[in-house]
């Protein structure tokens, strides 16, 4: 029972369900690189790398944000604040996941191994940035945007241009929905002097910039499809993603209280719908 409770607390700490944002794009890149199925070994290694990298990023965030989370009514009951995980436990978990990620990268190939170190620096940078720069939203986007590049490296051992296009699209997609999500903490961030765009420029500017970011995301996903010379269903994926992002903005524009619905539901489905259409595209070609 203690183990089950620990697992539940750990899952609450790292919010494992948010992995749905990056995992589909890792697999999209691996499928395009392999022009189809890339093998069970790489599937396992890809999942392990993605999970350990995301665990590391979330644990660093929770560790560095202990003081902020304790003051915010929305986050004051998180496991990093209420005593369920001590500072020492958090530091150990950060180190374990970092070592595990580096070890998995080593098994994948040399390029993955050498890039694992700067990747960890980027993943851990988000929490620092929001204390002094509004660019934190883009840093978070970059953290998830590295996923498709990592997927291509796992299969090819190189960084093809189409993977960069896909990555830039993911970066602006994530930064855009993080802007919307940050609207919930706008007043708190103002009070604490945090550098979120909502706290600095207000809700109207934030929602306008989120639309710009999501437009850029769709454009770069179109560049990805073109550069990778994919087919009809891949273009359909771009159109579907544009429609889903438009719906997300419709939800938030209509009612700020629906931000969670827009954040989790729409963005959670988006990646898997795009992945499904890319799989179909590879099958029919």
């Amino acid at each position: 029972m203690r183990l089950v409770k620990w697992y539940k607390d750990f899952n609450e700490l790292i919010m494992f369900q948010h992995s749905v944002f990056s995992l589909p794009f890792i697999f999209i890149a691996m499928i395009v690189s392999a022009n189809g199925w890339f093998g069970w070994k790489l599937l396992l290694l890809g999942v392990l790398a993605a999970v350990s990298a995301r665990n590391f990023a979330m644990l660093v965030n929770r560790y560095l944000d202990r003081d902020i989370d304790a003051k915010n009514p929305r986050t004051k009951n998180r496991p990093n604040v209420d005593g369920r995980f001590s500072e020492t436990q958090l530091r150990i978990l950060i180190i374990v996941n970092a070592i595990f990620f580096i070890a998995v990268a080593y098994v994948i190939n040399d390029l993955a191994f050498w890039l694992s170190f700067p990747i960890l620096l980027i993943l851990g940078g988000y929490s620092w940035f929001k204390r002094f720069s509004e660019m934190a939203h883009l840093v978070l986007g970059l953290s998830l945007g590295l996923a498709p590049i990592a997927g291509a490296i796992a299969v090819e051992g190189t960084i093809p241009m189409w993977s960069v296009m896909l990555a830039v699209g993911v970066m602006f997609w994530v930064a855009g929905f993080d802007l919307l999500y940050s609207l919930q903490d706008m007043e708190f961030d103002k009070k604490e002097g945090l550098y979120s765009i909502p706290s600095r420029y207000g809700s109207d500017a934030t929602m306008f910039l989120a639309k710009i970011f999501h437009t850029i995301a769709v454009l770069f996903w179109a560049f990805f499809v073109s550069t990778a010379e994919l087919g009809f269903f891949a273009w359909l994926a771009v159109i579907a993603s544009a429609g889903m992002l438009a719906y997300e903005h419709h939800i938030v524009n209509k009612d700020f209280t629906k931000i969670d619905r827009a954040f989790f539901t729409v963005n959670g489905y988006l990646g898997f719908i795009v992945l499904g259409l890319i799989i179909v595209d590879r099958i029919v070609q």
Side-chain angles (χ1 to χ4, degrees), residues 9-21:
D9 290 341
F10 182 70
N11 187 52
E12 183 181 345
L13 180 71
I14 64 169
M15 301 177 78
F16 182 75
Q17 64 269 27
H18 289 189
S19 299
V20 299
F21 299 136

Side-chain angles (χ1 to χ4, degrees), residues 147-165:
I149 292 178
I153 289 172
V155 176
E156 300 186 36
T158 60
I159 305 176
M161 181 54 66
W162 60 259
S163 71
V164 176
M165 300 295 181

Side-chain angles (χ1 to χ4, degrees), residues 60-109:
V60 170
N61 178 267
R62 296 292 188 253
Y63 179 75
L64 294 177
D65 281 4
R66 300 185 313 282
D67 57 334
I68 297 173
D69 287 347
K71 299 175 185 177
N72 190 337
R74 189 176 63 83
T75 59
K76 66 180 181 180
N77 294 320
R78 282 177 173 172
N80 59 315
V81 176
D82 64 10
R84 281 178 282 172
F85 285 88
S86 67
E87 293 182 22
T88 300
Q89 287 174 316
L90 290 172
R91 287 195 291 266
I92 291 171
L93 288 168
I94 289 169
I95 293 169
V96 168
N97 278 277
I99 292 173
F100 192 83
F101 174 70
I102 293 168
V104 172
Y106 179 80
V107 173
I108 292 173
N109 57 49

Side-chain angles (χ1 to χ4, degrees), residues 5 20 26 44 49 62 69 78 85 116 122 139 141 146 157 176 181 189 195 240 257 284:
K5 183 181 183 304
V20 299
I26 294 175
L44 176 61
R62 296 292 188 253
D69 287 347
R78 282 177 173 172
F85 285 88
S116 65
I122 294 171
V139 174
L146 293 169
Y181 191 69
D189 290 349
Y195 284 76
T257 64
V284 300

Side-chain angles (χ1 to χ4, degrees), residues 51-61 94 97-98 120 123-124:
V51 170
S52 57
R54 192 187 169 282
N55 285 353
F56 170 83
M58 287 297 297
L59 288 164
V60 170
N61 178 267
I94 289 169
N97 278 277
L120 287 177
L123 292 176

